[in-house]
């Protein structure tokens, strides 16, 4: 099965229904590979917890159209089904004015059919007009069928079914108001799976609901559909290691506080010559033996007490960074490396103090793609080098003596306004801007070369 589950808008329940489909297929013994349209980190965690495989983001803004095609076809190999969860509404793109980075964009790139998830809670016959509009809006995108969510009663279902029969639109699933599947959420969306108690039981309930509510006979004809995108043009080939036979160690902070990572970034590091060491700033009492650090995003504000109380690691980490160990930190990682973190309750917590600044939770959500130009040379980028990334946070810097890393502006928009952001040191790259390294081997190579230089300098002392 190769299909894309899209919503007619945000909030239709497509994440829950995607998880139900993944769980049901997994329960049937299938090998399932999942994908997520856009830059989101949290939904893919739920995918992976169910399938046992990394979930890959398909984002042509953070990477490229060719990379999206290559990633889908490469990572689908060896799987029996490939399921893609869309983002927002089917035609809602990053610009707001065209289909760029929308679910429809990905469907066209991969030549895959759309299964449209519709919240039917407050409509009956009007459903046909809505679905017909989505089917006809862009004929380059195929809406193959619909899933009806939040159906109220048998009478309600009959009205919906009659309306769709009149326009000859297949129904691939019918979901009632399922009250026993409630996924907890907080200020950045769903709570990550690592913090969800009894997730295995939730996955079992999802599988049972999926088995009962999907029309498997209708889905069967799509099981072997592989899409129509041209694969011959998307081969990137093998990338040589930074230095054959001299692998370097990169320590990845990975626990409940730091878990926003693209699996492509890990794979790029390994492909180019890194051995990855996973460790926990929450639980470990000493730093791992490493040649460089990578701190992803996450929820350090939720675990500020534990992070602050792990003083031995905070002190060791500050010393390592001051000794010029190459370090990459984004969003939550930047917050952790700062001097102080003020949580939602206004309580101030001491952090690593490698960056002379205070970050504070609150305010409105900073969200969107960013163009970022490096203001100085660091462990990942040369001065004046530009990259495209994504911001997603509710904290801000309120006091700083830091040398800014980036000059940023919105990726789209007419204002052209720029702002200084992040923190720079010759060996430290810290920013709110998340970067996807999948099609940027030069960034990975530069970081690993810096790690190699640091490793060799320790050996020569």
């Amino acid at each position: 099965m190769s299909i894309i589950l899209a919503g007619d808008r945000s909030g239709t329940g497509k994440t829950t229904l995607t998880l139900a489909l993944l769980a049901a297929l997994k329960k049937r013994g299938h090998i399932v590979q999942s994908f997520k349209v856009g830059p989101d980190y949290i939904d893919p965690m739920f995918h992976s917890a169910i399938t046992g495989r990394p979930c890959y983001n398909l984002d042509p803004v953070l990477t490229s159209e060719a990379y999206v095609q290559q990633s889908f076809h490469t990572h689908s190999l060896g799987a029996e089904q490939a399921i893609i969860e869309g983002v927002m509404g089917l035609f809602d793109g990053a610009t707001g004015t065209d289909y760029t980075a929308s679910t429809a964009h990905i469907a066209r790139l991969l030549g895959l059919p759309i299964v449209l998830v519709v919240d039917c809670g407050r409509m009956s016959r009007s459903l046909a007009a809505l679905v017909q509009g989505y089917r006809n809006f862009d004929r380059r995108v195929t809406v193959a069928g619909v899933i009806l969510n939040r159906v109220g009663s048998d009478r309600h279902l009959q009205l919906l079914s009659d309306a769709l029969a009149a326009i000859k639109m297949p129904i691939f699933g019918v979901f009632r108001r399922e009250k026993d599947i409630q996924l907890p959420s907080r200020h950045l969306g769903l709570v990550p799976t690592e913090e969800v108690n009894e997730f295995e039981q939730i996955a079992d309930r999802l599988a049972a609901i999926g088995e009962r509510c999907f029309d498997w006979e209708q889905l069967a004809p799509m099981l072997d559909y592989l899409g129509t995108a041209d694969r011959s043009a998307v081969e990137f080939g093998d990338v040589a290691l930074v230095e054959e036979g001299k692998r370097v160690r990169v320590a990845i902070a990975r626990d409940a506080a730091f878990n926003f990572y693209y699996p492509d970034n890990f794979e790029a590091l390994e492909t180019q010559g890194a051995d990855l060491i996973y460790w926990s700033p929450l639980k470990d009492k000493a730093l791992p033996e490493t040649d460089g650090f990578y701190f992803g995003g996450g929820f350090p504000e939720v675990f500020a007490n534990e992070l602050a109380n792990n003083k031995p690691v905070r002190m060791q980490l500050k010393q390592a960074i001051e000794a010029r160990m190459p370090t990459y930190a984004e969003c939550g990682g930047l917050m952790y490396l700062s001097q102080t973190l003020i949580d939602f309750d206004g309580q101030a917590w001491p952090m690593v103090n490698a960056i002379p600044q205070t970050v504070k939770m609150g305010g409105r959500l900073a969200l969107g793609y960013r163009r970022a130009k490096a203001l100085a040379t660091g462990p990942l980028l040369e001065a004046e080098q530009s990259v495209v990334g994504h911001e997603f946070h509710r904290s801000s810097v309120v006091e700083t003596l830091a040398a800014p890393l980036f000059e940023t502006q919105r990726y789209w928009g007419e204002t052209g306004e720029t702002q200084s952001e992040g923190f720079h040191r010759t060996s430290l790259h810290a920013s709110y801007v998340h970067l996807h390294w999948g099609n940027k081997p030069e960034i990975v190579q530069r970081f690993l070369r810096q790690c190699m230089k640091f490793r060799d300098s320790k050996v020569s002392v």
Side-chain angles (χ1 to χ4, degrees), residues 272-461:
Q272 305 239 8
D275 291 325
L276 306 187
I277 304 165
Y278 299 104
W279 71 290
S280 171
L282 285 172
K283 298 178 180 179
D284 292 341
K285 299 304 179 184
L287 299 182
E289 286 291 326
T290 186
D291 307 308
F293 283 107
Y294 180 180
F295 293 89
F299 292 99
E301 67 275 14
V302 175
F303 301 94
N305 185 13
E306 293 93 323
L307 292 170
N309 286 332
N310 195 351
K311 189 173 181 180
V313 159
R314 288 196 291 113
M315 300 300 293
Q316 293 170 40
L317 187 54
K318 182 180 180 182
Q319 293 171 1
I321 292 175
E322 289 181 344
R324 304 199 173 205
M325 179 174 286
T327 302
Y328 174 73
E330 56 185 25
C331 203
L334 171 142
M335 296 163 64
Y336 177 55
L337 298 187
S338 297
Q339 181 178 9
T340 306
L341 190 162
I342 302 175
D343 65 19
F344 281 111
D345 295 325
Q347 184 166 355
W349 301 95
M351 293 288 110
V352 173
N353 196 20
I355 304 175
Q357 66 183 20
T358 296
V359 295
K360 183 178 180 179
M361 299 305 302
R364 64 181 184 178
L365 178 67
L367 173 66
Y369 294 100
R370 302 287 186 263
R371 295 184 187 274
K373 182 176 72 173
L375 298 174
T377 297
L380 270 74
L381 303 170
E382 298 279 357
E384 301 297 312
Q385 185 176 350
S386 293
V387 290
V388 175
H390 187 266
E391 284 192 39
F392 185 48
H393 56 92
R394 285 196 182 275
S395 69
S396 59
V397 176
V398 293
E399 297 177 9
T400 183
L401 297 174
L405 168 68
F406 281 138
E407 181 180 81
T408 67
Q409 63 183 142
R410 292 183 179 277
Y411 190 74
W412 286 281
E414 299 178 357
T415 63
E417 295 177 357
T418 62
Q419 63 180 24
S420 297
E421 188 275 340
F423 176 73
H424 157 264
R425 186 179 285 172
T426 55
S427 60
L428 172 60
H429 174 122
S431 169
Y432 274 119
V433 178
H434 295 275
L435 299 178
H436 192 298
W437 300 347
N439 67 333
K440 302 175 182 67
E442 69 282 358
I443 288 180
V444 184
Q445 289 172 352
R446 178 175 175 81
F447 180 59
L448 293 185
R449 287 193 183 103
Q450 302 306 310
C451 293
M452 292 173 68
K453 288 180 182 179
F454 181 80
R455 178 200 64 194
D456 294 344
S457 70
K458 291 189 299 182
V459 173
S460 62
V461 171

Side-chain angles (χ1 to χ4, degrees), residues 107-399:
R108 285 183 55 191
L109 282 177
L110 301 179
L112 292 178
I114 293 290
V115 175
L116 189 67
V117 178
V118 183
D119 181 350
C120 304
R122 290 180 174 87
M123 72 173 79
S124 56
R125 188 166 178 263
S126 295
L127 174 65
L130 183 147
V131 173
Q132 187 78 315
Y134 275 83
R135 176 159 63 182
N136 294 334
F137 185 75
D138 185 344
R139 285 293 191 173
R140 297 169 297 180
V141 176
T142 300
V143 178
V146 298
I147 297 173
L148 308 182
N149 195 22
R150 302 182 183 122
V151 175
S153 65
D154 290 344
R155 171 61 177 164
H156 187 202
L157 175 58
Q158 188 62 56
L159 292 172
L160 297 171
S161 299
D162 290 346
L164 292 176
I167 63 170
K168 296 181 173 56
M169 176 60 69
I171 299 173
F172 289 166
V174 176
F175 288 75
R176 307 296 177 118
R177 296 185 177 98
E178 302 288 349
K179 296 181 179 179
D180 61 337
I181 299 297
Q182 296 292 333
L183 300 176
S185 62
R186 57 175 173 234
H187 54 281
L188 292 182
L190 294 177
V191 173
T193 53
E194 192 168 340
E195 299 177 56
V196 178
N197 294 328
E198 301 179 343
F199 183 74
E200 289 186 6
Q201 289 88 334
I202 292 176
D204 287 340
R205 292 201 296 273
L206 285 166
I209 291 171
E211 187 67 37
R212 183 178 75 247
C213 297
F214 286 112
D215 186 334
W216 295 97
E217 185 175 348
Q218 289 268 42
L219 286 174
M222 306 176 73
L223 288 176
D224 297 323
Y225 193 82
L226 300 177
T228 60
D230 180 8
R231 304 183 192 190
S232 64
V234 298
E235 295 299 329
F236 280 70
D238 294 330
V239 181
L241 300 180
V242 172
E243 187 172 325
E244 191 68 37
K246 285 192 172 183
R247 299 181 69 84
V248 295
R249 296 165 296 182
V250 177
I252 312 290
R254 199 174 188 186
D255 55 21
F258 304 99
N259 45 36
F260 289 8
Y261 293 100
Y262 296 124
D264 311 65
N265 288 15
F266 293 162
E267 293 171 7
L269 287 167
E270 290 178 317
T271 297
Q272 305 239 8
D275 291 325
L276 306 187
I277 304 165
Y278 299 104
W279 71 290
S280 171
L282 285 172
K283 298 178 180 179
D284 292 341
K285 299 304 179 184
L287 299 182
E289 286 291 326
T290 186
D291 307 308
F293 283 107
Y294 180 180
F295 293 89
F299 292 99
E301 67 275 14
V302 175
F303 301 94
N305 185 13
E306 293 93 323
L307 292 170
N309 286 332
N310 195 351
K311 189 173 181 180
V313 159
R314 288 196 291 113
M315 300 300 293
Q316 293 170 40
L317 187 54
K318 182 180 180 182
Q319 293 171 1
I321 292 175
E322 289 181 344
R324 304 199 173 205
M325 179 174 286
T327 302
Y328 174 73
E330 56 185 25
C331 203
L334 171 142
M335 296 163 64
Y336 177 55
L337 298 187
S338 297
Q339 181 178 9
T340 306
L341 190 162
I342 302 175
D343 65 19
F344 281 111
D345 295 325
Q347 184 166 355
W349 301 95
M351 293 288 110
V352 173
N353 196 20
I355 304 175
Q357 66 183 20
T358 296
V359 295
K360 183 178 180 179
M361 299 305 302
R364 64 181 184 178
L365 178 67
L367 173 66
Y369 294 100
R370 302 287 186 263
R371 295 184 187 274
K373 182 176 72 173
L375 298 174
T377 297
L380 270 74
L381 303 170
E382 298 279 357
E384 301 297 312
Q385 185 176 350
S386 293
V387 290
V388 175
H390 187 266
E391 284 192 39
F392 185 48
H393 56 92
R394 285 196 182 275
S395 69
S396 59
V397 176
V398 293
E399 297 177 9

Side-chain angles (χ1 to χ4, degrees), residues 54-76:
C55 172
Y56 295 90
N57 295 74
L58 303 177
D59 192 316
V61 177
L62 293 183
T63 58
S64 67
E65 290 185 342
Y67 184 83
V68 166
Q69 293 173 316
Q70 183 247 5
S71 177
F72 175 77
H73 291 304
T74 298
H75 295 120
S76 295

